[in-house]
Amino acid sequence: MRRFIIILLDASLERIPQSISEHPAILRDAKRRRKKPEKILLDDSIHHSAISHLSLKEKRGRPDILHFCLISALDSRLSKNLEIYVHTINDEIIWINNKTRLPRNYNRFKGLMEDLFERKVIGNGEELMKFVNTNLDELLSSIGCQTILMNEHGKESEDFLRKAMKNNIAICIGAFPHGNFREETLEVMRKHNAIEVSLGRQNLTSNYVINRILCIYEELHERI
Ligand SMILES: C[S@@+](CC[C@H](N)C(=O)[O-])C[C@H]1O[C@@H](n2cnc3c(N)ncnc32)[C@H](O)[C@@H]1O
């Protein structure tokens, strides 16, 4: 069967870094949730003042972007043909079973992600998601098919994507709030000869881009 892989890149998903674990905004939240700061997911809507002390602050603390993207992918009629990976801002790789039904409620999603960081795997009997002991470079090597990087500045267009989708394909979409991919991530993309595809010069949301990709694929392979 043809492989259709989606990788959510530089995803804004991490636990509270130690360097800000004593910040009042973090301590307040930890007390309210009765959890240790290092077990809590970084969330800009609650920890904004603490995040301003971090490097790459414009890219941190937005697990909601990943939540939207995963719901779109897993809800799609294509989900049973999809392979889904999350690449985090700390270069960790999470595999998501395409049978997973995610909580729609954002707070419950965050709780699930906190469990995942703690236990490294979620699932009773069947694994629903897990941290894979690899990095982006190794993941792309093991996948071994055409890599596409979705980027507003890309040279290729939707037409190219349509043609490329006739073969095995791994499509990478940024899942962070602002700016470009991290330089380390771009280096890996170059190493794997990723082709950059643009859907126009407008800066679109990750959720729109993933939905557009799913629609193009669906139109192309009508019998799903
Ligand atoms: C940088 S993130 C920004 C996310 C946004 N703030 C949100 O809330 O979803 C958006 C990602 O979608 C993709 N993207 C955005 N605009 C695009 C475009 N015009 N063409 C192709 N891909 C695009 C890129 O992969 C980019 O990293």
Side-chain angles (χ1 to χ4, degrees):
M1 199 175 66
R2 194 185 297 109
R3 293 183 75 187
F4 180 30
I5 302 154
I6 287 200
I7 305 175
L8 293 158
L9 269 196
D10 281 349
S12 194
L13 183 81
E14 62 183 312
R15 296 201 284 192
I16 287 175
Q18 214 205 338
S19 64
I20 56 166
S21 64
E22 301 287 312
H23 188 282
I26 304 285
L27 292 177
R28 229 177 2 254
D29 189 36
K31 188 172 172 203
R32 187 183 60 82
R33 295 192 57 202
R34 297 189 189 156
K35 278 193 159 189
K36 291 186 175 156
E38 62 272 19
K39 310 250 163 165
I40 290 177
L41 219 56
L42 189 67
D43 184 341
D44 184 66
S45 65
I46 304 166
H47 312 129
H48 183 74
S49 52
I51 288 179
S52 62
H53 298 279
L54 295 175
S55 60
L56 297 177
K57 55 179 185 280
E58 71 287 356
K59 290 184 150 26
R60 323 267 301 252
R62 289 291 306 278
D64 56 304
I65 295 177
L66 181 66
H67 187 208
F68 276 122
C69 290
L70 289 178
I71 294 258
S72 290
L74 294 166
D75 270 0
S76 108
R77 290 204 295 155
L78 294 168
S79 64
K80 62 181 188 299
N81 300 332
L82 255 183
E83 294 173 56
I84 308 169
Y85 291 93
V86 177
H87 163 253
T88 74
I89 190 155
N90 293 317
D91 204 26
E92 301 141 316
I93 300 290
I94 301 167
W95 168 80
I96 310 281
N97 185 333
N98 59 17
K99 292 183 198 148
T100 304
R101 288 196 50 79
L102 280 186
R104 317 245 134 199
N105 178 285
Y106 176 54
N107 287 329
R108 287 194 51 216
F109 170 75
K110 284 202 302 179
L112 182 70
M113 292 298 113
E114 285 166 357
D115 274 0
L116 176 64
F117 271 100
E118 194 55 27
R119 291 158 47 195
K120 307 297 173 206
V121 55
I122 298 285
N124 254 339
E126 188 171 19
E127 289 175 340
L128 294 178
M129 55 184 76
K130 65 177 175 190
F131 276 92
V132 185
N133 192 12
T134 190
N135 58 30
L136 182 63
D137 184 19
E138 289 172 0
L139 176 70
L140 290 174
S141 297
S142 69
I143 288 173
C145 66
Q146 174 68 71
T147 304
I148 300 286
L149 179 64
M150 297 306 296
N151 188 346
E152 64 193 282
H153 306 296
K155 287 208 171 66
E156 298 294 344
S157 68
E158 257 187 54
D159 281 344
F160 177 89
L161 196 56
R162 268 194 200 90
K163 285 182 200 130
M165 279 175 170
K166 293 185 177 149
N167 300 309
N168 294 341
I169 192 169
I171 304 184
C172 303
I173 306 164
F176 49 89
H178 301 291
N180 201 358
F181 299 94
R182 291 178 312 132
E183 191 45 46
E184 298 91 310
T185 303
L186 288 172
E187 230 170 80
V188 175
M189 289 291 125
R190 286 191 283 269
K191 180 175 169 192
H192 290 271
N193 300 317
I195 294 181
E196 298 197 14
V197 170
S198 167
L199 301 176
R201 298 296 174 224
Q202 199 183 344
N203 186 3
L204 303 163
T205 66
S206 310
N207 191 38
Y208 174 84
V209 173
I210 196 167
N211 279 301
R212 182 75 200 123
I213 286 167
L214 292 165
C215 285
I216 297 172
Y217 198 89
E218 211 178 289
E219 281 164 14
L220 209 68
H221 305 288
E222 267 174 43
R223 277 167 49 92
I224 297 159

